[in-house]
Amino acid sequence: MISAIRRVITGPGAGPAASAVAFIMAALLVASWGSWKIERARLEGRIAELVQQSERSQSLWRAQLSACHAAAGARTLTETAYARPAADPKDPAQRLLAQGPEGIDVCARMESADQAVLSTLK
């Protein structure tokens, strides 16, 4: 079997056949290179479009978050965020029960949604 392979490789038609195969492979490489460039340009355009869409979406989410903070009372949210923890561990729970978590809950949901959208873009 090895002798048959050796005869094919060293035969008189091996050189021209190898040259033809090399030429065909070079032509296929050039054709593939052109299609890759076209695909790359298309993908770069899509990325630019998604970046613009992301920036518009991000500004919309930030505006909604700002409106949420304004509606819930930014001062109350800021004081809650920077308040010292109470000595009694039941105090924060009682405070939330008394005030109701609606404003904080809505803002937390919007911040969570914003983070989810941004994490998919990374």
Side-chain angles (χ1 to χ4, degrees):
M1 176 155 168
I2 294 179
S3 63
I5 294 173
R6 186 177 302 162
R7 272 185 280 148
V8 169
I9 293 174
T10 59
S19 297
V21 168
F23 180 74
I24 290 170
M25 290 177 69
L28 289 173
L29 178 65
V30 169
S32 296
W33 187 270
S35 68
W36 292 336
K37 282 190 153 193
I38 292 169
E39 181 71 14
R40 180 178 176 177
R42 186 184 67 79
L43 289 174
E44 285 176 348
R46 179 71 176 141
I47 288 171
E49 178 184 325
L50 288 173
V51 165
Q52 287 177 348
Q53 185 180 11
S54 167
E55 288 172 354
R56 280 186 263 128
S57 177
Q58 183 179 9
S59 65
L60 175 67
W61 282 110
R62 289 199 187 279
Q64 288 179 353
L65 182 62
S66 297
C68 175
H69 279 284
R75 183 174 179 181
T76 305
L77 290 174
T78 305
E79 289 173 358
T80 303
Y82 291 107
R84 290 188 175 187
D88 184 12
K90 293 181 182 180
D91 184 43
Q94 291 175 354
R95 184 169 33 107
L96 282 175
L97 286 174
Q99 292 177 352
E102 291 85 16
I104 295 172
D105 190 38
V106 170
C107 290
R109 286 182 189 171
M110 291 184 73
E111 288 174 354
S112 174
D114 191 30
Q115 289 300 321
V117 169
L118 291 176
S119 68
T120 59
L121 297 175
K122 289 183 181 178

